[in-house]
Amino acid sequence: MRVIFWLIALGIAGLLIRDRWLRMRRKMRGEPEPVQEGPRTITLVVIAIVLVYGLLIGYRIFASE
């Protein structure tokens, strides 16, 4: 479980660093920020966290009986 957590944490950190790098390069070239389409990123993160914790709680309740 610890390994999975660290892999996910490194993946998220990598995506954040990549996004910041692309944004910085876009600014240096003078391009405008793209218009975001669809749900905000924080919404997706919150949904994922709630889903994971819900599944873990459900598993513990199911496995304890």
Side-chain angles (χ1 to χ4, degrees), residues 11-56:
I12 291 172
L15 289 174
L16 291 173
I17 290 169
R18 178 179 169 263
D19 181 55
R20 184 157 302 226
W21 172 255
L22 292 176
R23 190 177 297 167
M24 185 180 71
R25 288 190 57 200
R26 204 177 298 119
K27 264 187 180 178
M28 289 172 53
R29 286 184 268 171
E31 297 176 1
E33 286 287 325
V35 178
Q36 184 172 357
E37 299 175 9
R40 293 177 45 191
T41 307
I42 191 67
T43 305
L44 297 176
V45 170
V46 169
I47 290 171
I49 290 171
V50 168
L51 184 65
V52 167
Y53 275 111
L55 289 172
L56 285 173

Side-chain angles (χ1 to χ4, degrees), residues 1-12:
M1 192 68 153
R2 221 180 252 172
V3 173
I4 294 173
F5 169 77
W6 284 112
L7 287 175
I8 291 171
L10 287 174
I12 291 172

Side-chain angles (χ1 to χ4, degrees), residues 57-65:
I57 291 170
Y59 173 75
R60 287 195 179 240
I61 290 171
F62 180 74
S64 68
E65 293 180 2

